[in-house]
Amino acid sequence: FVPTQEMCMGRKLQAVIGEVFAERHPDLLLFRPNAALFAHPQHGRLTCTPDFLAVQRYRLPDDTPQSPVRVRLYPVECKSDQGGQGWGTPGTDEVPEHHKYQGWQQAEILNATGTYFPRLNGKRFSWYYVPYTASDQGLMRATYIPMALDFLDSIDAGEQPPLDGSPSTTEVLERLHADMDPEA
């Protein structure tokens, strides 16, 4: 697999996007896990590599000053694009559907209550938060995790995934068959 120029640039921009996100969220401690691969506790083949992890310290209303400080962990996925379809109002959960599912998978694996999506669109910065609710968790566990594990089993069995017409599929096919007539 050879990453595209856009993918390489997106990876380089992650540091900048993460830095701006951290400046705008002083209540979160942001750190980079350096491409660490996290696995689901029950389904080890289901993994994620979040761009950043955010830690938030908090106390419950009935905690005393002597109570231990509690922490929440959130995956943070940096996005950079020009325009991009499916993005809604900044600060909401209105993200493209495939990013929502990416956030849900990371939240499931990391036992988080949601995922942050800081975004750079040209020179405009925004961020989104996709919660991972009990209902989302039920859907993931009943439907999407079994589907993902079935897909991984099919790959292990040597079954070729169906052609879906996505730009990434087309790009891979063009690389694999560079000697072929593009019109064909």
Side-chain angles (χ1 to χ4, degrees):
F1 172 74
V2 178
T4 66
Q5 181 179 357
E6 290 83 4
M7 292 168 68
C8 291
M9 188 58 71
R11 277 198 203 102
K12 290 179 187 264
L13 286 170
Q14 287 174 358
V16 173
I17 296 167
E19 181 180 337
V20 173
F21 180 73
E23 288 170 358
R24 306 239 176 130
H25 292 272
D27 59 315
L28 299 174
L29 172 63
L30 198 68
F31 65 96
R32 195 158 203 172
N34 293 323
L37 180 66
F38 297 92
H40 191 281
Q42 282 83 38
H43 309 287
R45 297 174 66 206
L46 190 64
T47 60
C48 69
T49 56
D51 298 333
F52 289 90
L53 294 172
V55 177
Q56 182 179 45
R57 297 168 50 130
Y58 72 99
R59 290 191 181 273
L60 295 175
D62 57 347
D63 281 350
T64 66
Q66 294 77 28
S67 297
V69 174
R70 301 166 193 267
V71 295
R72 288 187 185 105
L73 180 71
Y74 301 97
V76 178
E77 274 302 308
C78 299
K79 302 299 179 187
S80 58
D81 58 16
Q82 294 290 326
Q85 301 296 320
W87 294 98
T89 305
T92 69
D93 65 350
E94 299 167 0
V95 303
E97 193 170 32
H98 60 284
H99 293 325
K100 176 178 76 171
Y101 295 132
Q102 177 188 26
W104 283 3
Q105 178 172 326
Q106 292 188 7
E108 171 70 25
I109 290 167
L110 298 169
N111 193 32
T113 58
T115 303
Y116 283 100
F117 289 93
R119 177 179 180 234
L120 186 63
N121 178 9
K123 292 183 180 179
R124 300 184 88 162
F125 177 82
S126 57
W127 64 271
Y128 302 80
Y129 176 73
V130 175
Y132 186 54
T133 67
S135 173
D136 302 332
Q137 188 179 66
L139 183 60
M140 277 292 287
R141 292 178 179 180
T143 304
Y144 295 121
I145 290 175
M147 285 173 55
L149 295 173
D150 287 347
F151 175 74
L152 292 172
D153 289 342
S154 75
I155 298 296
D156 289 346
E159 298 171 20
Q160 190 171 9
L163 299 179
D164 61 5
S166 72
S168 57
T169 300
T170 302
E171 188 176 307
V172 168
L173 289 173
E174 287 172 349
R175 262 193 257 134
L176 289 173
H177 304 286
D179 56 342
M180 196 170 135
D181 176 9
E183 299 303 315

